[in-house]
Amino acid sequence: MIKTDILIIGAGPTGLFTVFEAGLLKLKCHLIDALPQPGGQCAELYPKKPIYDIPGFPEVLAGDLVDNLMEQIKSFEPGFTLAERAETIEKLEDDTFLVTTNKGTQHNAPIVAIAGGLGSFEPRKPPIPNIADFEDKGVSYMVKDPEIYRNKKVVIAGGGDSALDWSIFLADIAEEVTLVHRRNEFRGALDSVDRVKELKDLGKINLITPAEVDGLQADENGHLSSVVIKKKSEATEEIQLEVDHFIPLFGLSPKLGPIGDWGLEIEKNAIKVDNTLDYQTNIPGIYAIGDVNTYPGKLKLILCGFHEATLMCQSAYKKIHPDKKYVMKYTTVGGVTGFDGTKKEAPKAVVKAID
């Protein structure tokens, strides 16, 4: 069982920044996320899109923001349970919470902070009748381990950043990469589109547009062996390709998921918090911060999530240490001391005696 001070559900920007604010209070954090890597939507959906309203950054790419947050919390040594979804919660006799994931991993903490953004993400699946038969048998909706595709024939479907980025990445790993998109135009970053075109000209990526994967076929063992592609033109052309893997990347659909059954007060698919003093829910000890919560005047902005995380950690500290009085110290004065022994602080002025 994993034990921690604050269990954070969701490893997006708000969840990651919570680790920093908790660390300043000497509180350990562990994060659970259904995605295979930290960063939430910023990492999964639009890592190369710029964000313009982060204080101090006139412009920062979403992926770079995640990287910076990970670097910022590194010294506080957070734990991660990734590619697992928080499934159930139980209040124990000692007033702590037991949270179990869909894979049976158990976590125990006195404080639970739900920072799940718009909820747990489920892949948008293409309307191919028998696609469920091939899940884990050649069909994957996200790339968890690129090495699986080494020297394999891969078909990727989609027209956004994820489809473009993985096509580029796997071009140097897979034996053959084919990118299929229903339009000639792509929705991803311009440099990624240009790179795909370059790789196409070099013969490292097969690009089929406008077209859609329309069917899947199996070998004698039930594993994916080929895909049927319908190319849209004046006369619809059908192409059959031998493949080892098919990766449809059509984005993720946010859902509140099992958290909606935890007895929390829900309003319009968001968790209602009692006040904006600490963002606690109707269950003492469980907080909701970031896009997952709702209250009068709520704004779904990353910078608002950072503010909510800061106030939540102050309240969490009082619950965990009811007999201690915390005196806030500015990082410009006290510096930042990590759990790994590192310390960042401003250089001290040299004082000289006057003769």
Side-chain angles (χ1 to χ4, degrees):
M1 182 185 297
I2 298 170
K3 290 181 176 287
T4 190
D5 294 318
I6 300 178
L7 181 63
I8 303 169
I9 313 297
T14 296
L16 295 177
F17 189 67
T18 303
V19 176
F20 178 78
E21 288 298 323
L24 295 179
L25 301 172
K26 308 300 180 187
L27 300 177
K28 290 281 290 184
C29 292
H30 190 94
L31 302 94
I32 301 174
D33 202 291
L35 295 176
Q37 74 283 319
Q41 293 183 69
C42 287
E44 184 67 19
L45 298 184
Y46 47 86
K48 291 190 176 182
K49 288 191 176 179
I51 301 174
Y52 301 104
D53 59 357
I54 302 299
F57 289 91
E59 177 181 335
V60 60
L61 296 181
D64 290 343
L65 175 63
V66 172
D67 291 342
N68 290 341
L69 286 166
M70 290 294 289
E71 181 63 28
Q72 186 177 28
I73 66 176
K74 184 178 179 181
S75 65
F76 292 125
E77 301 178 326
F80 289 90
T81 299
L82 299 174
E84 296 186 31
R85 183 182 61 220
E87 195 80 12
T88 62
I89 190 168
E90 179 185 353
K91 188 73 172 286
L92 303 180
E93 292 183 1
D94 63 357
D95 222 27
T96 64
F97 297 95
L98 176 66
V99 175
T100 305
T101 70
N102 60 316
K103 294 185 179 179
T105 308
Q106 294 186 319
H107 309 74
N108 178 239
I111 299 293
V112 174
I114 302 173
L118 297 174
S120 62
F121 289 96
E122 297 181 7
R124 293 190 177 98
K125 303 179 182 182
I128 301 174
N130 62 340
I131 192 167
D133 297 337
F134 293 95
E135 292 172 0
D136 297 323
K137 294 182 179 179
V139 171
S140 300
Y141 302 106
M142 58 181 67
V143 178
K144 296 181 181 179
D145 180 8
E147 283 299 313
I148 293 174
Y149 308 102
R150 184 167 293 280
N151 301 323
K152 302 292 185 180
K153 294 181 179 180
V154 180
V155 169
I156 295 174
D161 284 314
S162 290
L164 292 166
D165 292 345
W166 282 119
S167 296
I168 294 168
F169 188 89
L170 293 178
D172 290 325
I173 293 178
E175 175 189 338
E176 182 180 283
V177 173
T178 300
L179 176 59
V180 180
H181 182 41
R182 60 181 178 173
R183 299 188 180 94
N184 289 320
E185 302 79 21
F186 290 86
R187 303 184 308 276
L190 292 177
D191 60 333
S192 296
V193 176
D194 290 340
R195 182 59 180 153
V196 165
K197 290 179 179 177
E198 289 175 12
L199 291 171
K200 172 183 176 292
D201 293 339
L202 292 171
K204 299 190 73 174
I205 290 180
N206 301 320
L207 186 61
I208 304 178
T209 63
E212 292 182 291
V213 175
D214 186 64
L216 307 175
Q217 296 178 347
D219 60 18
E220 64 274 9
N221 298 315
H223 194 280
L224 180 68
S225 63
S226 64
V227 299
V228 177
I229 300 170
K230 283 193 175 179
K231 194 172 186 329
K232 302 174 183 177
S233 57
E234 293 182 2
T236 301
E237 178 185 354
E238 191 170 283
I239 303 169
Q240 184 167 327
L241 282 182
E242 289 187 6
V243 298
D244 299 297
H245 297 276
F246 173 46
I247 312 172
L249 297 173
F250 297 129
L252 301 170
S253 177
K255 295 183 179 180
L256 203 53
I259 292 175
D261 300 322
W262 286 7
L264 301 166
E265 190 173 354
I266 306 298
E267 183 178 290
K268 294 181 180 179
N269 205 40
I271 301 171
K272 188 175 180 180
V273 292
D274 291 341
N275 55 66
T276 55
L277 176 67
D278 58 9
Y279 307 99
Q280 191 163 202
T281 69
N282 59 305
I283 300 177
I286 301 181
Y287 298 80
I289 53 178
D291 287 356
V292 77
N293 75 13
T294 185
Y295 54 84
K298 169 69 180 182
L299 293 177
K300 292 183 181 294
L301 298 172
I302 292 174
L303 64 92
C304 293
F306 292 163
H307 165 77
E308 294 167 11
T310 304
L311 296 188
M312 183 279 295
C313 285
Q314 296 289 323
S315 176
Y317 180 88
K318 294 174 185 176
K319 282 186 173 294
I320 295 172
H321 301 296
D323 300 326
K324 289 185 180 180
K325 183 178 180 181
Y326 173 72
V327 178
M328 190 185 79
K329 297 178 181 178
Y330 296 105
T331 55
T332 50
V333 176
V336 176
T337 302
F339 297 152
D340 59 0
T342 60
K343 179 158 183 159
K344 296 179 182 178
E345 60 182 334
K348 299 293 190 294
V350 177
V351 179
K352 293 184 178 179
I354 300 176
D355 295 330

